Amino acid sequence: MDDEKAADLFGALSNGDRLKVIRALVEAGPDGMSAGDIAGKIKASPSRTSFHLSALFDAGFILRERRSRSLIYQVDFKRIGGLVNFLMEGCCKGSSELRSCCSF
Amino acid sequence: MDDEKAADLFGALSNGDRLKVIRALVEAGPDGMSAGDIAGKIKASPSRTSFHLSALFDAGFILRERRSRSLIYQVDFKRIGGLVNFLMEGCCKGSSELRSCCSF
DNA sequence: TATTTATTTCAAGAGGTATTGAAATATGGA
DNA sequence: TCCATATTTCAATACCTCTTGAAATAAATA
């Protein structure tokens, strides 16, 4: 992970529709949701939803699996965690004394 | 915090220069860094650095304080934490049984 | 007060991202 | 095979963001 890559990943999160998708999938957990259900939940057209799902999928935030006619999406928590850890890397010069400044 | 606001905040993080700034300030911790030192660290011109510092300041990710001729910037960990918590809100339907799926 | 240092502001141009609706693709069932 | 359902792809348009360099502002010192 470098700064430009991480910036692209944050870019994938910098859209209201895409955050609605992520948050819906965070709540859904391992069950996931179909593209159609996601479109209904975020109140967006199929093509618009698909556009945003692709952006999130390309960034690695969501996983996709076909179940019959539907595509089921799930959030990938590891990707979110990796990005947060990148941001906090080397926090406060690595000093354990100052470590509390990094907690949230 | 709503989806559009959070999207703007992620937008403020969706740039390589701005991530370099944040990460430098995360490392610097409570000491902070001057705008000039930041410009040197991220290898960007003063005007470009100032543009990105403004974006981060407006988003609330960094705090600013004048010390003599210099402006000293510090990261605001609370803002980062608030954004991460927004993303993970209601994780896995709030089920404590499934809570492990949300950890990273 | 005049000068130097530190930083921000501004305008113009280039490049990137979102929305729409129609058409294409993929799958399952009659 | 034919049809219906589920989802993606595409092209056009509109909008937003970044970079650059020059000029403006702010504060400290001689």
Side-chain angles (χ1 to χ4, degrees):
Chain A
M1 178 97 69
D2 63 15
D3 294 294
E4 295 305 324
K5 176 66 182 173
D8 286 348
L9 299 191
F10 280 117
L13 299 178
S14 69
N15 175 279
D17 284 336
R18 290 201 289 269
L19 285 184
K20 288 195 186 81
V21 170
I22 292 267
R23 281 160 48 82
L25 292 178
V26 161
E27 269 200 53
D31 294 346
M33 289 176 78
S34 71
D37 287 350
I38 293 169
K41 176 93 177 181
I42 73 171
K43 296 180 178 44
S45 70
S47 84
R48 191 168 143 193
T49 303
S50 179
F51 171 78
H52 291 306
L53 286 172
S54 291
L56 290 171
F57 182 79
D58 292 347
F61 285 113
I62 59 177
L63 307 167
R64 179 163 62 191
E65 167 195 16
R66 185 171 283 279
R67 266 214 286 280
S68 178
R69 274 191 279 218
S70 295
L71 284 171
I72 305 297
Y73 286 91
Q74 275 179 278
V75 70
D76 186 348
F77 290 101
K78 292 193 301 299
R79 190 57 151 172
I80 298 177
L83 192 53
V84 173
N85 289 336
F86 174 79
L87 206 58
M88 304 299 284
E89 212 171 276
C91 176
C92 297
K93 301 163 185 159
S95 150
S96 57
E97 194 181 330
L98 291 171
R99 181 67 71 192
S100 64
C101 79
C102 316
S103 59
F104 53 79
Chain B
M1 178 96 68
D2 63 15
D3 294 293
E4 295 304 324
K5 176 66 183 173
D8 286 347
L9 299 190
F10 280 117
L13 299 178
S14 69
N15 175 280
D17 284 336
R18 290 201 290 268
L19 286 184
K20 287 195 186 83
V21 170
I22 292 267
R23 282 159 48 81
L25 292 178
V26 161
E27 270 201 51
D31 294 345
M33 289 175 77
S34 71
D37 287 350
I38 293 169
K41 176 92 178 183
I42 73 171
K43 295 180 178 45
S45 71
S47 84
R48 191 169 144 194
T49 303
S50 179
F51 171 78
H52 291 306
L53 286 172
S54 291
L56 290 171
F57 182 79
D58 292 347
F61 285 113
I62 60 178
L63 306 167
R64 179 163 63 192
E65 169 195 13
R66 184 171 283 280
R67 266 214 287 279
S68 178
R69 274 193 278 217
S70 296
L71 285 172
I72 305 297
Y73 286 91
Q74 275 179 278
V75 71
D76 186 347
F77 289 101
K78 292 192 301 296
R79 190 57 149 172
I80 298 176
L83 191 55
V84 173
N85 289 336
F86 174 79
L87 206 59
M88 304 299 284
E89 211 171 277
C91 175
C92 298
K93 300 163 187 160
S95 152
S96 57
E97 193 181 330
L98 291 171
R99 180 67 70 192
S100 64
C101 78
C102 317
S103 59
F104 52 81

